[in-house]
Amino acid sequence: MNGLTWKYVLRRVGIYLLTIFISITLIFIISRAVPGDPVETMWRQLEMQKGQIEEIDVIIDHYKTLFGLNEPITVQYGKFLWNTIHFEFGVSYAHYPTPVSTMIKNALPWTLGLGLVTMFIIFLFGNGIGAIFGWERTPKFIKTIIPSGLLFTSIPSVLAALFLLSIFAKNLGWFPLAGAYSNEVTPGWNWPYIASVIKYGFLPALSILMVNIGWTVLGMRAMVVTIGGADYVRLAEAKGLKPFYILTQYTVRNALLPQLTSLALSMGGLISGQVLVESVFSYPGMGMLIFRAIREQDFPVIQATSFMFILITATSVLLIDLLYPLIDPRITHGGE
Amino acid sequence: MKSRVVDRNSSKSEIAEKECRKKTFKSSPWKNPKLIIGATVLCVLVFCTLIGQFIWDKTLVNVGSSPLNLPPVGFEYRKQIGTWAHPLGTDNSGRDLLTLILVGLPHSLGIGFVAASIGLVIGILFGFSAGYLGGRVDDVIRLLSDTTMNIPALLILIIVQSVIPNADFFVMALLLSLFAWQSPTRVLRAQILSMKHSDYVKLAQLSGASDNEIMFKEIMPNLLPFLIAQLTAGTSYSVLVLVGVEVLGLGSQSKPSLGITLNNAINSSAILRGMWWWWGIPTIILIVVFMSLLLISVGLDEVSNPRLRNQ
């Protein structure tokens, strides 16, 4: 069955659903944990800051019914759960009456695009470079670069983003300072637009890439070194196969599997990093949405965007985990 | 180091013996250069900030306590020349950057350390029970850690902090510890599983030691470097999340910190205005902290796992 047993799939999907359920519940509990009523607190605060608001009680009551805050807590929870899994997040406070789902729909493609491209590059190049570093035939002087690369991995991507923005966008002026594409191009499938998107996305992608690729390189290098001594590699050598063929077809192929697991494990960190990097570059993705919503105290947007990020993380980990046994026939899950 | 030993290989047994003794002394696993460098840098940094708090005027963190937009000593920015009164410069609302670092760094590191310690204690309890006792206990603990592991701490903290804006030291540490126990639990469980069937554990079982005695008196001392490595990695992770939340503009505004300084710098477009010291100095300090924490944990991993050495 190619190692993908029903028991494994069920357990994995079960954990996925449970993760989503726990997150929604956590968000619900946290948002209701504040003493007093969020709508009332917000409007009273607004009244204190901006002066008298006419018919404030009517407004508060309207919002309370709108958000269902007059109902018992269990009903509220049920509705919250139902709405969240249908991506109904209500309306934004700061940009009333824009539905939060519309804001997310506009930002989601940017976040997914940036994230997927970076992840793909990290996996492809990280493993490629790692394999070369670990290979016996690679010249020694190349291998000595490794220890300095290790230190890079500890820098949070947001700090790298600040440096890149300052050097390449502010001082050298090679790249734009903010945004996702130039005002002069019309969005669509045309070359100027695509070129502009790549140019604007380059620095954000680079800041995520340069700090996260290190772990992939190091992991792959260690795997290649370990597998290099395995019996089947020795056998392949004895058979007289070309060394590069052995590296790609024997060593790297087997090393890719654990690398996939470590990619799944690092997904949370990657995505959290992206939230911050988007804020630094004012990239119009969901990270920027959170950053702006925090400044505007727009709670529905903060909650919805955080939930979407949690959903993306959990889903991508699930996909990688389900991919894993499909690639590796040696592993049979749940067969103990 | 290896080649030096080979070079000096002498036919005289006396020298060889001496050399051998020297080697075992030199290659004591705790004399790991990564560990030593990382720990030294971190200790010096923490020591300096703690001493600095007594020497330097702490009220300079307050808004308007210093001149605005002052560059560091030896630099000039918009006709203002840096002075020794504010060696690292000031921000656009008159806060002294040196004071921000002196007060902010121990605070952030402290929160991270407490969070990681709580996480490690939970991790020890869960990991040991799951690995040693197995069965139902193992199932429940694994389910708990598997389901919560993929929730990024940063996002939950964003939601919490947006509702409770002024969380204090221990609330913050507790919140962070909710996401700091999964990794130690998993790693320790795996370690226990591999040690469970070793001879010394069997011997202890035969001599009638209880489960608790075996877990904490026999197995745990062997995992000491491993536990400290987990603690360092946990501290680093918690500080990372903390800084992330602060960069986004959350976290206690009454207490100065490096993350909030960065948020102020981003919001006031310090980069565009060319005030490099405002965002650059906190960034460099944070990078040094993260690098030394990484060196410590990698060094400790090498101490506990001989196979990682000399790679």
Side-chain angles (χ1 to χ4, degrees):
Chain A
M1 264 207 72
N2 261 347
L4 188 68
T5 60
W6 281 112
K7 206 179 161 192
Y8 171 73
V9 175
L10 278 180
R11 184 188 148 82
R12 195 55 200 80
V13 173
I15 284 178
Y16 170 72
L17 295 177
L18 209 59
T19 307
I20 304 296
F21 173 75
I22 289 177
S23 325
I24 298 178
T25 311
L26 265 177
I27 295 174
F28 180 80
I29 294 172
I30 295 163
S31 59
R32 297 296 186 280
V34 244
D37 162 344
V39 174
E40 183 145 7
T41 324
M42 215 195 95
W43 281 98
R44 297 283 177 216
Q45 251 178 11
L46 207 66
E47 195 179 29
M48 289 220 295
Q49 286 168 3
K50 306 273 160 76
Q52 186 76 35
I53 298 170
E54 277 174 48
E55 293 182 10
I56 189 165
D57 292 328
V58 182
I59 296 174
I60 290 173
D61 203 55
H62 171 74
Y63 269 97
K64 273 187 176 175
T65 20
L66 197 73
F67 295 123
L69 290 172
N70 291 328
E71 288 164 287
I73 194 93
T74 42
V75 177
Q76 282 185 38
Y77 175 61
K79 276 192 174 170
F80 184 80
L81 206 61
W82 180 255
N83 286 339
T84 310
I85 54 176
H86 287 87
F87 300 113
E88 279 299 329
F89 301 112
V91 286
S92 157
Y93 286 173
H95 302 271
Y96 189 85
T98 322
V100 178
S101 47
T102 313
M103 297 168 81
I104 287 181
K105 226 176 272 167
N106 294 334
L108 193 61
W110 294 111
T111 295
L112 284 184
L114 183 64
L116 284 175
V117 168
T118 345
M119 200 183 81
F120 184 71
I121 298 176
I122 288 176
F123 198 71
L124 199 71
F125 284 85
N127 286 319
I129 298 169
I132 291 170
F133 276 137
W135 200 24
E136 306 169 314
R137 288 176 177 257
T138 309
K140 255 226 161 99
F141 71 91
I142 296 182
K143 289 185 177 180
T144 47
I145 309 169
I146 274 280
S148 51
L150 177 84
L151 277 177
F152 253 115
T153 58
S154 66
I155 306 173
S157 41
V158 59
L159 302 184
L162 288 171
F163 270 110
L164 290 180
L165 183 68
S166 164
I167 296 169
F168 294 106
K170 163 81 175 42
N171 291 340
L172 295 174
W174 292 353
F175 290 96
L177 285 159
Y181 57 88
S182 151
N183 290 328
E184 293 152 17
V185 296
T186 42
W189 288 107
N190 53 52
W191 279 116
Y193 177 67
I194 294 171
S196 170
V197 166
I198 293 175
K199 193 178 177 189
Y200 276 70
F202 188 81
L203 285 185
L206 185 64
S207 36
I208 302 172
L209 198 86
M210 62 184 271
V211 294
N212 286 299
I213 204 166
W215 287 120
T216 317
V217 172
L218 288 170
M220 190 59 174
R221 174 176 157 268
M223 285 306 298
V224 168
V225 169
T226 316
I227 295 177
D231 288 341
Y232 58 86
V233 176
R234 295 268 165 266
L235 180 69
E237 280 166 5
K239 269 168 44 183
L241 296 175
K242 286 199 177 94
F244 189 72
Y245 183 81
I246 296 176
L247 177 74
T248 51
Q249 295 301 311
Y250 285 71
T251 322
V252 173
R253 256 185 100 170
N254 282 292
L256 273 181
L257 300 158
Q259 282 298 92
L260 216 51
T261 330
S262 64
L263 181 71
L265 280 174
S266 63
M267 201 51 93
L270 253 167
I271 288 177
S272 308
Q274 194 179 333
V275 173
L276 300 168
V277 168
E278 281 183 14
S279 327
V280 170
F281 285 99
S282 306
Y283 200 76
M286 296 203 309
M288 185 63 201
L289 212 55
I290 286 193
F291 184 65
R292 218 178 50 195
I294 287 169
R295 222 164 31 188
E296 297 167 344
Q297 296 209 311
D298 199 342
F299 298 114
V301 177
I302 298 175
Q303 287 169 13
T305 333
S306 306
F307 171 72
M308 287 306 290
F309 271 118
I310 294 171
L311 187 70
I312 292 174
T313 316
T315 311
S316 39
V317 175
L318 173 77
L319 289 179
I320 295 173
D321 277 358
L322 289 183
L323 208 66
Y324 188 57
L326 279 180
I327 301 173
D328 190 4
R330 285 173 305 180
I331 294 177
T332 38
H333 285 279
E336 285 175 273
Chain B
M1 221 159 72
K2 221 186 232 167
S3 60
R4 206 188 299 155
V5 174
V6 173
D7 288 343
R8 289 188 193 169
N9 225 346
S10 161
S11 55
K12 286 176 188 169
S13 60
E14 231 175 82
I15 299 172
E17 209 174 87
K18 224 182 214 172
E19 202 56 59
C20 191
R21 216 179 297 142
K22 216 181 207 170
K23 195 183 156 195
T24 43
F25 173 72
K26 258 188 177 170
S27 62
S28 155
W30 289 97
K31 298 209 157 188
N32 185 297
K34 285 173 192 151
L35 175 65
I36 292 170
I37 295 172
T40 314
V41 172
L42 193 68
C43 287
V44 167
L45 209 58
V46 170
F47 186 72
C48 287
T49 50
L50 288 178
I51 292 292
Q53 288 200 26
F54 290 104
I55 300 172
W56 203 249
D57 181 8
K58 276 208 281 187
T59 56
L60 289 176
V61 303
N62 297 333
V63 171
S65 59
S66 322
L68 313 184
N69 304 331
L70 205 66
V73 176
F75 291 95
E76 197 185 322
Y77 178 74
R78 294 193 183 158
K79 289 172 191 164
Q80 285 200 92
I81 297 164
T83 60
W84 279 106
H86 305 285
L88 297 182
T90 61
D91 69 3
N92 74 336
S93 44
R95 279 171 290 211
D96 178 50
L97 266 170
L98 177 63
T99 327
L100 280 173
I101 290 164
L102 290 181
V103 179
L105 187 66
H107 189 246
S108 306
L109 273 176
I111 292 180
F113 182 74
V114 171
S117 310
I118 300 172
L120 185 66
V121 170
I122 302 175
I124 290 173
L125 290 176
F126 278 10
F128 274 56
S129 330
Y132 193 77
L133 303 175
R136 267 292 143 75
V137 183
D138 186 25
D139 287 343
V140 172
I141 290 172
R142 261 179 63 199
L143 191 68
L144 210 62
S145 79
D146 280 358
T147 42
T148 52
M149 199 178 57
N150 294 331
I151 304 176
L154 179 75
L155 295 158
I156 293 292
L157 274 159
I158 287 173
I159 303 173
V160 174
Q161 293 258 295
S162 67
V163 180
I164 316 166
N166 278 317
D168 64 4
F169 189 96
F170 283 103
V171 174
M172 215 48 226
L174 270 178
L175 282 172
L176 284 166
S177 70
L178 285 180
F179 302 92
W181 62 269
Q182 289 90 341
S183 166
T185 302
R186 275 174 74 97
V187 177
L188 283 171
R189 176 179 170 273
Q191 286 286 322
I192 301 294
L193 278 179
S194 71
M195 280 196 177
K196 204 166 145 184
H197 301 294
S198 60
D199 290 339
Y200 76 94
V201 173
K202 276 189 191 142
L203 193 69
Q205 275 169 339
L206 283 176
S207 58
S210 69
D211 281 352
N212 278 336
E213 270 174 348
I214 295 176
M215 279 197 275
F216 296 108
K217 283 191 181 160
E218 300 288 335
I219 299 180
M220 203 151 103
N222 286 304
L223 291 175
L224 195 64
F226 208 79
L227 293 176
I228 312 174
Q230 284 289 318
L231 185 67
T232 331
T235 307
S236 171
Y237 177 70
S238 301
V239 175
L240 178 67
V241 175
L242 187 67
V243 169
V245 175
E246 289 168 351
V247 166
L248 287 172
L250 294 165
S252 168
Q253 300 291 331
S254 54
K255 196 90 185 164
S257 82
L258 298 187
I260 289 170
T261 309
L262 284 178
N263 174 256
N264 290 334
I266 295 170
N267 277 336
S268 320
S269 25
I271 291 181
L272 297 189
R273 292 158 71 180
M275 296 170 69
W276 54 267
W277 62 94
W278 187 2
W279 59 271
I281 293 173
T283 302
I284 288 172
I285 299 268
L286 282 172
I287 288 178
V288 170
V289 167
F290 284 118
M291 280 185 172
S292 46
L293 282 171
L294 179 85
L295 282 177
I296 296 174
S297 74
V298 169
L300 282 166
D301 267 343
E302 287 177 3
V303 169
S304 61
N305 186 354
R307 267 185 302 175
L308 289 172
R309 283 176 229 152
N310 298 326
Q311 248 191 24

